[in-house]
Amino acid sequence: MKIILGGGVIGVTTAYYLAKAGHAVTVVDRQPGVALETSFGNAGEVSPGYAAPWAGPGIPKKAIKWLLMKHGPLKLRPTLDPYMWLWLVKMLRNCTSARYAVNKGRMVGIAEYSRDCLKALRADTGIQYDDRAQGTLQLFRTQSQVDHAVDDIAVLKDYGVPFEVLDPAGCIAAEPGLAAVPEKIAGGLRLPGDETGDCHIFTQNLAKLAADLGVKFLFDTRIDGFVTEGDRISGVATSAGVLTGDDYILALGSYSPFLARPLGIQIPVYPIKGYSITVPIVDEARAPVSTVMDESYKVAITRLGNRIRVGGTAEVSGFDRTLRIARKATLDQSVGDLFPGAGDLARSSFWCGLRPMTPDGPPVIGGTKFRNLYLNTGHGTLGWTMACGSGRVLADLLSGRNPETDLSELGLARYR
């Protein structure tokens, strides 16, 4: 029996691949269903081309500018939590060219593999989730942004990621809804290999497929902690009693460190709050066809069926999940400015979620000092992008197979 703690997209993909490999699996979550926290309202992008650490050269200087902007992409709400400050210090240490190159390579590897796994899963099961495979357009509003894109292009070339450099006319050809605002477009960088889809719908439908394979889901179940015997986990204490299995997978996103710390395991994951609005489309001709990344506001505008998902903002405020109306104004501003009249902003739904971020960028996947405890957490803004690959490699590892992509630099050992 494999016991997975966490019913978000990471936990459910792990459960599915383990069940496909022939294992008995139980998924435990405090919510009444799957994907009801961080996986619920994310930006909808499956974007290996944008798999990159937040920590990079120039970020400390940019962060100061962003904090001073009315609609800036970064907000800091200091608390007395020492883990917040420790995480920020570790992130700053990764803001060098050398560290960025190493971390970027680690992220691209698992992200590209994950997209391949998602394609195979879609072909194998026919799973539907308002999915589209029409690329991502990074939209530049100023010539300065166009000029600075040369660094991004060099990185894409290094990692063999297909891309297209577009002039304003090319941006409008890729996203016809932008035709109403040609004066606001200086150029763009398009990644044709990226995809989009509703992570919540995907996770719900995959959970049904997993249940058909025998996976058991325990919802409305509080997880209190692990029971240990020597170098093994012998059980996990929950509101439904002590659950026992052969192996345990910790996939609780931002909450993973709380269960690991009593075991003497330090997972450097901290929550960075993101916001989104979901807007009903009222004029298809004016709406996006895929994802547009508004470089000025660091906002993603994504087409999901008959809706537009607009996601962005990085708010460092601990585990606070207050919906702050000023953040909604930024999302409204971006989508309303680029796609005027496409959606009914008055009927939009407003959401926030806690992204489980590591200070260096890559997720934490692999074993621990306990022989039967494994981690699958810390995917940050790329949980949806990396989910299938992360679940598949961990299932391979627990099945005695060599994973098809390198896991050696994604474990906790890289922090020692």
Side-chain angles (χ1 to χ4, degrees):
M1 171 65 72
K2 313 299 181 187
I3 296 181
I4 298 173
L5 306 179
V9 68
I10 301 298
V12 173
T13 51
T14 305
Y16 173 81
Y17 284 111
L18 280 168
K20 284 284 285 185
H23 299 282
V25 182
T26 296
V27 177
V28 188
D29 197 275
R30 66 183 179 184
Q31 295 288 352
V34 298
L36 293 179
E37 294 197 25
T38 301
S39 301
F40 182 79
N42 63 29
E45 304 166 82
V46 179
S47 299
Y50 282 102
W54 284 16
I59 288 298
K61 183 177 179 180
K62 289 180 182 178
I64 294 172
K65 181 183 75 172
W66 290 336
L67 287 170
L68 298 174
M69 290 170 58
K70 177 182 178 182
H71 292 299
L74 176 65
K75 300 297 175 185
L76 176 63
R77 295 185 177 277
T79 73
L80 296 178
D81 182 2
Y83 290 103
M84 171 188 285
W85 299 105
L86 182 62
W87 186 91
L88 288 169
V89 168
K90 289 180 177 179
M91 180 184 177
L92 289 173
R93 287 177 179 170
N94 278 278
C95 290
T96 67
S97 297
R99 294 305 307 164
Y100 180 86
V102 169
N103 295 329
K104 169 83 175 181
R106 292 169 176 171
M107 295 175 75
V108 168
I110 186 66
E112 293 278 353
Y113 175 67
S114 187
R115 183 186 55 201
D116 293 342
C117 290
L118 176 58
K119 288 181 177 178
L121 173 65
R122 198 164 56 229
D124 184 43
T125 65
I127 190 170
Q128 295 183 344
Y129 46 95
D130 281 341
D131 52 299
R132 294 183 176 214
Q134 295 176 245
T136 297
L137 174 63
Q138 185 178 10
L139 186 75
F140 305 125
R141 293 174 180 256
T142 67
Q143 187 59 44
S144 174
Q145 291 170 349
V146 173
D147 295 339
H148 281 91
V150 66
D151 295 332
D152 293 331
I153 291 169
V155 171
L156 295 173
K157 287 180 178 177
D158 287 344
Y159 290 98
V161 178
F163 67 91
E164 300 168 355
V165 178
L166 303 178
D167 60 12
C171 293
I172 293 171
E175 285 286 353
L178 294 170
V181 292
E183 74 283 0
K184 295 176 181 177
I185 306 169
L189 180 62
R190 183 171 179 268
L191 304 182
D194 285 3
E195 302 184 5
T196 61
D198 190 313
C199 181
H200 177 232
I201 294 174
F202 170 85
T203 309
Q204 284 186 315
N205 289 339
L206 190 64
K208 294 173 185 174
L209 294 173
D212 290 342
L213 293 172
V215 175
K216 182 179 180 182
F217 289 88
L218 292 181
F219 295 124
D220 297 306
T221 302
R222 188 185 68 250
I223 302 168
D224 295 323
F226 290 108
V227 181
T228 63
E229 289 183 4
D231 63 351
R232 292 182 61 84
I233 302 296
S234 59
V236 58
T238 76
S239 57
V242 176
L243 308 177
T244 59
D246 302 310
D247 296 293
Y248 302 80
I249 298 96
L250 185 53
L252 287 172
S254 299
Y255 296 91
S256 297
F258 289 110
L259 262 68
R261 284 175 198 148
L263 303 177
I265 299 172
Q266 298 297 325
I267 307 174
V269 167
Y270 198 77
I272 305 298
K273 184 162 67 171
Y275 293 85
S276 77
I277 57 173
T278 304
V279 187
I281 292 174
V282 295
D283 188 338
E284 291 245 353
R286 292 176 176 265
V289 298
S290 189
T291 291
V292 173
M293 290 289 300
D294 185 348
E295 181 64 18
S296 292
Y297 299 113
K298 300 293 184 183
V299 165
I301 304 169
T302 301
R303 175 69 170 270
L304 297 177
N306 60 358
R307 302 160 294 147
I308 303 171
R309 176 70 52 76
V310 189
T313 304
E315 184 175 293
V316 187
S317 55
F319 288 84
D320 171 48
R321 297 186 65 178
T322 303
L323 282 168
R324 302 188 186 280
I325 198 65
R327 304 290 81 76
K328 183 177 184 297
T330 299
L331 304 178
D332 288 348
Q333 165 70 19
S334 179
V335 68
D337 202 37
L338 293 179
F339 297 96
D344 186 352
L345 289 171
R347 292 193 292 131
S348 67
S349 59
F350 187 31
W351 173 90
C352 71
L354 303 179
R355 309 177 183 110
M357 302 286 293
T358 60
D360 52 343
V364 182
I365 306 172
T368 66
K369 66 180 183 179
F370 289 87
R371 287 189 292 154
N372 61 340
L373 176 62
Y374 298 84
L375 305 176
N376 199 358
T377 190
H379 296 77
T381 59
L382 294 166
W384 181 202
T385 294
M386 296 180 173
C388 287
S390 299
R392 173 65 189 272
V393 294
L394 204 53
D396 285 343
L397 189 67
L398 270 65
S399 301
R401 298 191 297 261
N402 288 325
E404 295 175 333
T405 191
D406 186 15
L407 273 181
S408 62
E409 295 186 331
L410 295 179
L412 280 176
R414 72 181 192 261
Y415 296 112
R416 293 175 189 154

